[in-house]
Amino acid sequence: MEIKAQFCSSLAKVFPDKQPEVLPENISVLPGERYSFQLAYIAENNRGWASVKISSPWPVTVRKVELMPVRFCGWESDEDVISNAPGLYPDYLAPLDNGGKNLPLMLKQYRSAWFTVEIPHDCSPGWYDVSVELTGTDYSGENGVWRGKLNIEVIGAQLPELTMKYTCWLHGDCLASYYKTEIFSAEYWMILEKFIANAVRHGVNMLLTPLITPPLDTEIGKERLTNQLVKISRKSGQYSFDFSRLEKFVLLAQKLGVKYFEIPPLFTQWGAAAAPQIVLENENGGKEQIFGWSSSSSSPEYREFLAELLVGFCAYLREKKWENIFVFHCSDEPAAEHLAAYRECQKFLQEKLAGFTIMDALSSEEVYRENLILEPVVSISKVDELSDAGMVPGWIYYCCNPQTVYPNRFINMPSSRNRVMGLLFYRYHVKGFLHWGFNFYYSYLSRDVLDPFLSTDAGGNYPAGDPFLVYPGHDGEPQDSIRHEVFFEALQDLRALELLEKFIGRKNVEDFLDSLVPDGAMRMDNYPKGESTVLNIRKKINEMIKRVISVQN
């Protein structure tokens, strides 16, 4: 049989009916980097299966890129998208089984395999080869073979660790719902560990820590599955708090590499109108809900309870010497019409949490200008305007918006629009980045449990790809998406820029970035676009590092 193939970059999205751009054969990387590329292949005259063999000086993982259903691309768009049409888009990186012989050969349709190369931290500089052999077999038993080789140069300067904080909300209740297991059962902890490990592997260093069930994406009057780490009991009108389950969670996460922890909002989302879902637990495991939508955020009963909880929890954190690694949330995304309630809730929390950081995602410029909290997390669509006014935000985020002009990582967007975030993180001195959907497997407002392999858009309510970055695999193993891997590459670009800064200074690096856009000022709304453009920028960064090292030596 006849089989054709070509190397292409991690930024390519390979569709069945379009040949992707060819990846240049000469690649440069830094020690400690994780480098990904793809092999796009097509069977010209028959159907069948293919297997792959690799010759490499380093560990290489191979996965197949699966086409996933995209029903909803959002409610507005610009020209920098692959398409606005529903359809099947490449996204899911599926593990190979059957001895690595299950790459599908579809007649006259392109498919791709995803290769991830782990460059050791102590790798010596120089040129290395990675060779790939693809053997196709059709249903009559006839074989076809393709061989190719990549030349990879390792530059003699190790990629530094990530300094920016990155949180992508991990929803424990979604894991319990999808895998049909009890919250805090042995199976649940096993699955949770695998998902945290995956998050850390992709740069997440701050973890949503459900001291209480997070009041996020919940329909008014409804409740999400209870996912409360603190055990609360009450006797003779007095509350007592057991943080042993939270300690188990923190120690597990720290073992896996998490450095920082965030407590979910202590008042409901989009307005701070009500108390979150709080339950008591008795000795027999029974639960009694004592606060929720029926409790106003200003009710004396909830405020008294919350004051007791925070006094006990803050004392516990100080005892564990964890006070500097925890942050708190008040209410997620308050709008201008919520200012009165939000201001009052913030005042209460700042009195009770003196010495601790409170942070919230703010998409309302009016709320931001109130200067209510120490660490606002600002939508990327507001960053330029606020920066121009002298109010430079430290933390930024995006979610289902913005859908036009600005970068994001929706499935229908080119991967270059995802990866360019690394350059923007550096240019804006970003301290932290937040995204809400690591594994949100519910529909809009958590009304139903969904199969993410069938619904990538929260039941047709968010742009496809916004609710989650990982797919739930067998035995609790999270499986990556293209978007997840490419965003990690953006973080590696950020780290490469920080390395370059050590050699030539911050001002020169910023001047270099500004030179890459037409009017000489890289902004959230003015950034490099396109696969080859973004790849060449990283190539230039590596070349600059190499030149400096050469001069120094």
Side-chain angles (χ1 to χ4, degrees):
M1 70 176 302
E2 183 179 4
I3 183 170
K4 295 181 179 179
Q6 66 181 61
F7 292 123
C8 53
S9 84
S10 60
L11 301 190
K13 291 195 175 180
V14 180
F15 286 83
D17 58 347
K18 185 177 180 181
Q19 183 176 358
E21 293 185 35
V22 177
L23 177 67
E25 290 188 358
N26 296 329
I27 308 299
S28 65
V29 296
L30 297 171
E33 188 162 0
R34 192 157 79 233
Y35 177 75
S36 293
F37 65 92
Q38 296 180 78
L39 182 68
Y41 57 90
I42 185 170
E44 291 287 354
N45 58 0
N46 212 334
R47 297 169 296 128
W49 300 94
S51 59
V52 63
K53 291 183 180 179
I54 306 160
S55 175
S56 168
W58 315 297
V60 180
T61 301
V62 187
R63 291 168 287 182
K64 58 181 175 179
V65 181
E66 295 282 19
L67 300 171
M68 302 307 292
V70 169
R71 296 182 301 167
F72 182 61
C73 296
W75 42 91
E76 56 182 340
S77 183
D78 57 26
E79 71 285 351
D80 190 22
V81 294
I82 297 168
S83 172
N84 284 317
L88 295 174
Y89 288 67
D91 189 58
Y92 169 44
L93 301 181
L96 297 184
D97 52 22
N98 192 29
K101 297 180 180 179
N102 66 338
L103 287 173
L105 290 174
M106 311 290 288
L107 180 62
K108 299 187 183 303
Q109 290 187 25
Y110 280 99
R111 289 291 190 268
S112 66
W114 186 281
F115 295 74
T116 301
V117 184
E118 307 278 350
I119 313 298
H121 290 275
D122 58 354
C123 185
S124 300
W127 285 94
Y128 300 83
D129 292 338
V130 174
S131 298
V132 175
E133 180 180 287
L134 187 70
T135 302
T137 304
D138 66 19
Y139 292 125
S140 67
E142 182 181 348
N143 291 331
V145 179
W146 178 92
R147 296 180 180 88
K149 181 173 67 175
L150 280 181
N151 301 311
I152 299 179
E153 181 183 18
V154 177
I155 297 170
Q158 188 176 120
L159 195 69
E161 288 188 9
L162 180 68
T163 57
M164 185 188 79
K165 294 174 182 172
Y166 172 32
T167 179
C168 194
W169 288 345
L170 196 159
H171 302 271
D173 56 348
C174 289
L175 297 181
S177 295
Y178 181 84
Y179 287 105
K180 296 180 173 58
T181 186
E182 290 291 324
I183 291 279
F184 306 134
S185 65
E187 182 184 15
Y188 172 84
W189 283 107
M190 178 269 293
I191 295 169
L192 182 68
E193 179 172 358
K194 292 178 179 180
F195 274 72
I196 295 174
N198 179 282
V200 171
R201 174 172 163 78
H202 290 82
V204 170
N205 52 22
M206 177 180 278
L207 190 62
L208 186 66
T209 304
L211 174 71
I212 59 171
T213 298
L216 299 166
D217 300 283
T218 308
E219 185 174 5
I220 293 175
K222 306 292 185 180
E223 306 291 355
R224 286 175 63 162
L225 185 64
T226 299
N227 183 22
Q228 176 182 303
L229 286 170
V230 59
K231 298 178 184 178
I232 306 170
S233 57
R234 182 173 55 191
K235 188 174 183 179
S236 302
Q238 293 292 114
Y239 292 105
S240 61
F241 307 102
D242 178 353
F243 301 111
S244 59
R245 201 159 53 198
L246 179 135
E247 183 169 332
K248 178 179 180 179
F249 181 96
V250 172
L251 293 178
L252 171 64
Q254 287 181 326
K255 179 190 75 171
L256 297 171
V258 176
K259 296 180 180 178
Y260 308 99
F261 300 85
E262 52 180 325
I263 298 302
L266 297 166
F267 301 95
T268 52
Q269 194 174 26
W270 304 313
Q277 171 184 343
I278 306 287
V279 300
L280 297 179
E281 294 184 50
N282 61 37
E283 294 179 356
N284 298 322
K287 294 181 174 62
E288 173 194 354
Q289 184 168 326
I290 54 174
F291 297 107
W293 286 111
S294 61
S295 307
S296 166
S297 61
S298 60
S299 73
E301 293 81 8
Y302 180 61
R303 292 295 178 91
E304 289 172 10
F305 163 81
L306 186 55
E308 284 190 52
L309 173 61
L310 293 179
V311 166
F313 185 52
C314 291
Y316 168 78
L317 293 181
R318 292 187 179 101
E319 176 188 339
K320 302 296 294 184
K321 303 190 185 315
W322 287 347
E323 63 268 33
N324 294 324
I325 62 172
F326 271 79
V327 299
F328 293 79
H329 291 285
C330 175
S331 175
D332 190 54
E333 292 192 306
E337 61 266 29
H338 308 135
L339 253 177
Y342 184 72
R343 186 186 296 114
E344 210 276 322
C345 290
Q346 273 288 346
K347 180 181 177 182
F348 175 84
L349 288 185
Q350 288 175 18
E351 290 174 355
K352 305 303 178 186
L353 292 171
F356 289 89
T357 298
I358 302 172
M359 58 186 285
D360 279 327
L362 305 177
S363 54
S364 167
E365 184 179 336
E366 186 173 346
V367 177
Y368 180 87
R369 289 180 182 275
E370 283 276 317
N371 198 29
L372 293 173
I373 56 176
L374 176 65
E375 202 71 86
V377 186
V378 179
S379 169
I380 62 171
S381 62
K382 304 293 183 183
V383 169
D384 287 324
E385 186 175 352
L386 293 171
S387 297
D388 291 345
M391 297 180 289
V392 181
W395 275 76
I396 65 174
Y397 81 104
Y398 55 52
C399 56
C400 54
N401 277 309
Q403 296 172 25
T404 61
V405 179
Y406 301 92
N408 215 309
R409 55 190 182 196
F410 305 139
I411 294 177
N412 75 317
M413 287 183 172
S415 286
S416 57
R417 197 165 173 174
N418 179 355
R419 184 160 172 177
V420 78
M421 282 302 296
L423 310 182
L424 292 166
F425 287 145
Y426 182 88
R427 187 63 185 86
Y428 280 82
H429 303 249
V430 171
K431 293 167 53 181
F433 178 75
L434 180 151
H435 189 259
W436 75 283
F438 184 76
N439 66 312
F440 186 75
Y441 303 146
Y442 293 157
S443 64
Y444 175 63
L445 297 180
S446 305
R447 289 169 174 157
D448 300 292
V449 182
L450 299 178
D451 182 345
F453 293 94
L454 300 177
S455 176
T456 56
D457 51 20
N461 289 283
Y462 294 129
D466 192 47
F468 60 85
L469 288 172
V470 293
Y471 293 84
H474 296 298
D475 299 321
E477 289 286 354
Q479 304 297 340
D480 299 327
S481 64
I482 287 177
R483 295 164 292 117
H484 197 25
E485 293 284 34
V486 169
F487 191 82
F488 180 73
E489 292 182 324
L491 298 180
Q492 292 187 143
D493 293 344
L494 167 63
R495 294 157 63 191
L497 286 168
E498 291 175 340
L499 174 62
L500 180 60
E501 178 186 333
K502 294 178 181 179
F503 294 126
I504 67 174
R506 176 103 199 177
K507 177 66 166 57
N508 287 325
V509 178
E510 291 183 351
D511 288 346
F512 161 68
L513 292 177
D514 287 343
S515 72
L516 301 173
V517 292
D519 65 356
M522 185 177 288
R523 294 164 58 96
M524 288 291 175
D525 59 0
N526 185 33
Y527 51 87
K529 296 180 180 178
E531 176 183 343
S532 60
T533 299
V534 173
L535 289 174
N536 283 332
I537 291 171
R538 178 54 198 275
K539 183 179 179 180
K540 290 178 181 178
I541 293 169
N542 287 353
E543 289 173 349
M544 294 168 74
I545 293 172
K546 182 180 177 181
R547 282 199 301 270
V548 174
I549 294 172
S550 178
V551 170
Q552 289 182 347
N553 293 338

